[in-house]
Amino acid sequence: MTNTKSKVAVGFIVAGALGVFFGVVLTFVGPLIIDDQIAKNTVIDPNNAMTYTMWKDVPVPFFMSVYFFNVLNPKEILKGEKPMVEQRGPYVYRKRVQKDNITFHPNYTVSYKEYRRYYFEPSMSVGNESDIVTIPNMLVLGAAVMLEDLPYAVRLLISTTFKTFKEGPFLTKTVEELMWGYDSKLVEFLNKYLPGMLPSSGKFGLFAEFNNSNTGLFTIFTGKDDIQNVHKVDSWNGLKELGYWRTPQCNMINGTAGQMWPPFMTTESTLPFYSPDACRSMELVYQRPGHMKGIPYYRYVAPATLFANGMDYAPNEGFCPCRQSGLLNVSSCRQNSPVFISHPHFFNGDPVLRDFVQGLAPTEREHGLFIDIHPQTGVPLNVSIRLQLNLYMKTVPGITETGKIAEVVMPMLWFEESGYIDGPILNTFHTNLVVLPAVMEVMQYGFIALGLATIVIAILVLRRQKRFQSSAANHNTSTVLENPLATRNEPIKSSHEVGKK
C-alpha cells in the first residue's frame, strides 16, 4: 500500500512538471501562434472573409462633417477691414465607400478604384442644406489672383466679364449649392471657351468633384509575400511619383492609401499615407496609448511640422512657394487657383494667420486630427481627419471686384471625415484580439500554477509517506533493542519450564 502511494505521488510530480513545461512553452508559442494568425488574416485575400470585407466595402459608418466660415462683414472687407467670420455647422453627410475594378496581379499587388458617395444626415446636422451661408467667391477672387500678371487692359476686360455675368466677390448661397454645385453663366462660359480652367465641367461647387467620384487608380501590395508591405501603395494612376512639387522627396508616394496599415506596430512606428485630395503623402506620429471598449490602441497625430513652411522645416521646401507655417499651397494640383490647405482654425499654424481673421479659436481637441489604430493588426479603430480649405485674397488693380481687400489667407470651410468600428465588427475584434489572447494567457499561467501546485502537494505527500515509513522502522528497531531474544525463531520459555528441566 505504501509503495502504491509513493508511485502515485511520483506520478503526480511528473504530471505537474509536464503541466509547468506546457505552460512555459505556451507563453512562448502562444504569441507566435496569434501573430501568425494575424499575419495570415491581414493579407488582402478574398479568402480572409472579415478583413477583406472591411477593406473592400468599408462597412464601418463614416461621416463627413462640414463647417462653413460665414462672412459677417463682406462690404467692410472690400474697404480693407479685417474679415469677421462665424462658424456654421456641422452639416453632416454619411459617406459610403466601395472599391470596384479590383484586379489582383502576379507581383503580389492589387489594383482598384474607390468610389465615394455622400448622403445628407439632417438628424446629425445643425440645420438643413437650405441654410444660407456667405463665403468668398472663388471664381472671382481666386481668378483675380491667378490673372494679376496679365496686362492691365486684359484685367479690365475680365472685370467687365464678371459684371456681365453678375458675379460678385462674395457668394450668398444655400449649403447644398455651395457643396454640390450651382448653375452659373460664368461657369458655362468658361467651360465653353476656356475648357480645363475649372476642375469640373458641370455645376461649380466646393465638393462637386467629390460626390459620385473615385480617388484614382490605386495599386497596393497585398502582403502575401511580405506582410510588412500590406496596403502600401505601389502606384497611383500608374505613377510611382508625383509631378506637382519641386523636390523628389515631396513628390514621393509613401505609405498606404490611408485606410489600413501593416500589422505589428510599435511606438516607434509612424503612419505614412498618400492623399489624392491633398496631392501629397503625409505622415502621422505616435502620441499616446489608449483603450477603446477594452481594445488597446495607439493614437497617432499630425506633427507640428506637417504644414510648416520651408524656412521652419527644410524638407518642406519642395512644397513652396510658401507663406506662413501652417499652410499647404495646393495651387499646383488645383488648376493654379490660390487655394491652401491647413488644420481647422489654423491650429498648429503661425499665430499671424489668426490675427488676420476675427472669429477663430483653435484647440487640439476640436481641431487636431488623429487616428487610433490597433497596433497588432494595423486596423484603425477610431479616425478623425480634419482639414481646412482657404483662399488667398488680395487687391488686384483693374479687377474692381477685389476693391481694397487686404492681403489675407481667408478660411472658407473646414471638414472632418470620421468613423469608428462598432457593432458586429467590434465584437469580432474584441473576441479575437482581446478575449482569446486573454483566455490563452489564463491557460498558460493556469497550467504553470496547477503544475506547481500538483508538484508541491505530491512532494508533501511523498515526504509525509517517508516520515511514516521512517517512524514505523524506528518503532520496530526499539522493540528489538528492548527484547533481543524476540528476534529468534523459537519462543521464549518461562522460568517454570526451565526449572522442570
Side-chain angles (χ1 to χ4, degrees), residues 77-377:
I77 293 173
L78 292 174
K79 296 176 182 177
E81 294 185 18
K82 180 187 292 189
M84 294 176 59
V85 297
E86 175 189 48
Q87 180 174 291
R88 298 277 297 276
Y91 295 94
V92 183
Y93 297 83
R94 180 180 290 270
K95 182 181 180 181
R96 172 68 173 152
V97 177
Q98 187 172 13
K99 292 178 177 63
D100 206 351
N101 305 107
I102 298 173
T103 307
F104 287 87
H105 305 291
N107 64 338
Y108 306 111
T109 62
V110 57
S111 298
Y112 65 89
K113 285 188 176 182
E114 184 172 89
Y115 291 84
R116 51 192 176 181
R117 295 175 178 84
Y118 296 90
Y119 306 90
F120 185 61
E121 291 284 349
S123 62
M124 301 174 69
S125 303
V126 74
N128 296 312
E129 282 191 303
S130 57
D131 290 354
I132 303 297
V133 178
T134 298
I135 63 171
N137 189 347
M138 287 183 63
L139 289 174
V140 173
L141 299 180
V145 174
M146 291 168 63
L147 306 174
E148 67 173 328
D149 293 330
L150 294 178
Y152 186 79
V154 176
R155 280 179 270 150
L156 283 175
L157 181 61
I158 292 169
S159 183
T160 303
T161 304
F162 289 149
K163 291 178 178 63
T164 302
F165 290 106
K166 297 179 180 179
E167 291 284 352
F170 291 92
L171 282 175
T172 300
K173 298 283 185 182
T174 66
V175 168
E176 183 178 18
E177 288 175 319
L178 294 175
M179 287 289 296
W180 311 119
Y182 57 92
D183 292 318
S184 168
K185 296 295 182 182
L186 177 60
V187 171
E188 291 179 12
F189 175 82
L190 292 175
N191 284 330
K192 183 176 181 179
Y193 294 102
L194 297 171
M197 181 177 177
L198 299 176
S200 61
S201 58
K203 295 181 177 182
F204 183 78
L206 298 174
F207 285 84
E209 60 181 293
F210 276 46
N211 208 9
N212 299 314
S213 65
N214 66 76
T215 54
L217 180 65
F218 272 95
T219 301
I220 65 174
F221 290 97
T222 63
K224 199 167 186 178
D225 60 329
D226 183 356
I227 197 59
Q228 288 305 310
N229 284 334
V230 68
H231 300 295
K232 289 184 179 179
V233 178
D234 180 47
S235 66
W236 176 72
N237 284 340
L239 301 172
K240 296 284 188 177
E241 60 182 24
L242 305 171
Y244 302 130
W245 312 109
R246 296 168 52 192
T247 62
Q249 182 180 354
C250 291
N251 277 318
M252 291 175 67
I253 298 177
N254 294 327
T256 73
Q259 292 178 340
M260 296 183 188
W261 281 265
F264 314 125
M265 304 180 71
T266 69
T267 55
E268 302 299 319
S269 304
T270 60
L271 290 190
F273 64 96
Y274 172 66
S275 170
D277 297 326
C279 308
R280 59 166 286 189
S281 296
M282 295 190 280
E283 189 171 44
L284 307 188
V285 295
Y286 172 83
Q287 185 190 52
R288 62 174 177 82
H291 283 81
M292 175 180 168
K293 297 185 179 180
I295 301 176
Y297 67 72
Y298 288 167
R299 171 159 291 189
Y300 287 83
V301 298
T305 56
L306 182 62
F307 295 141
N309 62 24
M311 291 184 63
D312 291 341
Y313 186 62
N316 283 354
E317 179 65 34
F319 295 120
C320 293
C322 298
R323 297 190 64 80
Q324 296 89 346
S325 278
L327 298 171
L328 173 66
N329 187 344
V330 292
S331 59
S332 59
C333 64
R334 290 289 183 270
Q335 284 75 37
N336 291 318
S337 59
V339 176
F340 291 81
I341 289 176
S342 69
H343 294 300
H345 289 244
F346 297 126
F347 172 71
N348 267 350
D350 191 320
V352 171
L353 295 170
R354 298 192 293 276
D355 293 339
F356 288 151
V357 182
Q358 189 174 335
L360 305 179
T363 65
E364 182 177 4
R365 186 177 66 85
E366 294 182 354
H367 306 124
L369 65 81
F370 67 86
I371 296 177
D372 294 337
I373 196 163
H374 183 256
Q376 273 189 292
T377 60

Side-chain angles (χ1 to χ4, degrees), residues 450-468:
L450 185 61
L452 290 174
T454 303
I455 291 171
V456 170
I457 293 171
I459 289 174
L460 291 174
V461 170
L462 199 60
R463 289 186 63 183
R464 185 179 177 186
Q465 192 65 32
K466 286 183 176 180
R467 281 203 199 97
F468 179 79

Side-chain angles (χ1 to χ4, degrees), residues 29 35 49-50 61 65 69 75 87 134 265-267 271 290 293-294 336 376 386 393 397 408 429 444 458 460-461 498:
V29 175
D35 288 352
M50 185 186 78
S65 303
F69 290 104
K75 293 180 180 178
Q87 180 174 291
T134 298
M265 304 180 71
T266 69
T267 55
L271 290 190
K293 297 185 179 180
N336 291 318
Q376 273 189 292
R386 299 160 173 161
M393 308 189 315
V408 63
F429 251 77
Q444 65 195 28
L460 291 174
V461 170
V498 172

